[in-house]
Amino acid sequence: MRPLEGQYNLAQAIAHSQIPEYRHASTSTSLGERMSRQHTSRERVAKKRTAVLISGRGSNMVALIEAAKDPAYPAEIALVLSNRPDAAGLARARAEGIATAVVDHAAHGKDRESFERALQAELEGHRIDLVCLAGFMRLLTPWFVRRWEGRLINIHPALLPALKGLDTHARALAAGVAFHGATVHFVVPDMDSGPTIASASLKVHDTDSAETLAARVLELEHRIYPLALKLLAWNYVKMVDGECRFDIKRDANGELIAPEN
């Protein structure tokens, strides 16, 4: 797969792995605007109640919260849930007036089923429609994942399917890759293996360290995660038979947003 440099706006948010070619041209109307009009022509639905699961500071959580402040955004952040009572992101969520919950994995020992049933109870109690993992450092079992199939998404700091797992930035540098980036994907039982919703990439600099590369990729994450949640909440993207299906016109053009190099 040849990565494309830059980040797609709503006009081109669909991952390049799903749409291999674009006829790029400047237009007076962006696809983002056209998609918005397409959506308003549909039957209006209530905003999707979304839970964000975190284990730490929750920087992607903050990006989702900020995006959801737009009255036109189709999802509301209804719950921030952490497996760690000391997660810094909980305080930020409370300051924003968002409900929070803690399901401490340590209290459940090695009983993953007990932990996940407690998670499920919290999500059901808050009437959650969609779940976003944002630095949630627990592997989820097939039991939980299948209950949220098609409604559970994650962001990964690499261009999947390459560099699954942890320490992606150091591993990218060690591998000598020319491009690196981030991917939003549906969650399936196999780790970091779900179909891609959206991705963004940038060039790796000779001067990059793992820290500088992580910071640059994080900026991309903060852009594409709200975008992917918007697509899901608007029902523009679905997981069908293990693949992404997009309900937008694929021949429309829009402007490309590229990160600074």
Side-chain angles (χ1 to χ4, degrees):
M1 181 190 308
R2 180 178 65 85
L4 300 178
E5 181 182 349
Q7 179 212 334
Y8 304 124
N9 63 4
L10 190 53
Q12 296 171 315
I14 308 309
H16 53 256
S17 60
Q18 302 297 325
I19 301 178
E21 295 180 358
Y22 285 103
R23 297 195 308 274
H24 180 66
S26 60
T27 59
S28 58
T29 304
S30 72
L31 181 55
E33 294 170 347
R34 291 160 68 179
M35 284 178 68
S36 295
R37 290 204 297 267
Q38 180 182 346
H39 176 69
T40 56
S41 67
R42 297 180 172 188
E43 181 182 357
R44 289 188 175 274
V45 295
K47 290 190 175 190
K48 297 295 177 66
R49 292 178 58 81
T50 302
V52 183
L53 274 55
I54 65 171
S55 293
R57 61 177 177 162
S59 68
N60 275 301
M61 173 204 74
V62 173
L64 294 172
I65 290 172
E66 291 301 315
K69 290 180 180 178
D70 182 347
Y73 197 76
E76 65 168 313
I77 308 304
L79 175 68
V80 171
L81 189 155
S82 179
N83 65 305
R84 296 179 58 92
D86 59 349
L90 292 170
R92 175 60 185 268
R94 293 185 192 109
E96 296 285 351
I98 297 170
T100 63
V102 174
V103 179
D104 189 348
H105 67 276
H108 296 268
K110 296 182 179 181
D111 190 343
R112 295 174 67 189
E113 179 179 344
S114 172
F115 169 68
E116 291 183 355
R117 288 189 182 278
L119 282 183
Q120 181 71 14
E122 287 287 351
L123 297 172
E124 290 177 354
H126 287 85
R127 298 178 283 102
I128 296 302
D129 301 306
L130 304 174
V131 177
C132 295
L133 306 182
F136 187 67
M137 305 303 290
R138 302 296 298 175
L139 288 177
L140 297 169
T141 69
W143 178 88
F144 184 88
V145 170
R146 291 189 177 116
R147 275 156 181 74
W148 291 92
E149 184 173 302
R151 299 183 293 147
L152 175 62
I153 62 176
N154 180 49
I155 189 159
H156 182 73
L159 293 172
L160 293 172
L163 300 174
K164 298 178 182 180
L166 301 176
D167 302 321
T168 59
H169 310 302
R171 290 163 58 205
L173 293 174
V177 300
F179 288 87
H180 190 42
T183 305
V184 183
H185 63 94
F186 283 107
V187 176
V188 297
D190 291 336
M191 183 185 70
D192 298 334
S193 296
T196 294
I197 299 171
S199 62
S201 62
L202 47 72
K203 285 183 178 179
V204 177
H205 296 163
D206 291 339
T207 56
D208 268 324
S209 64
E211 292 74 23
T212 62
L213 190 56
R216 294 173 61 215
V217 169
L218 190 61
E219 292 181 4
L220 299 184
E221 295 179 42
H222 292 169
R223 296 180 186 181
I224 64 171
Y225 211 178
L227 205 56
L229 176 57
K230 179 185 288 188
L231 289 169
L232 181 61
W234 265 352
N235 294 319
Y236 282 125
V237 61
K238 297 178 182 179
M239 185 170 69
V240 179
D241 297 329
E243 297 180 352
C244 278
R245 301 286 176 85
F246 299 97
D247 183 20
I248 62 173
K249 294 181 179 179
R250 299 191 179 195
D251 60 348
N253 298 293
E255 295 180 358
L256 185 68
I257 299 175
E260 295 182 2
N261 297 311

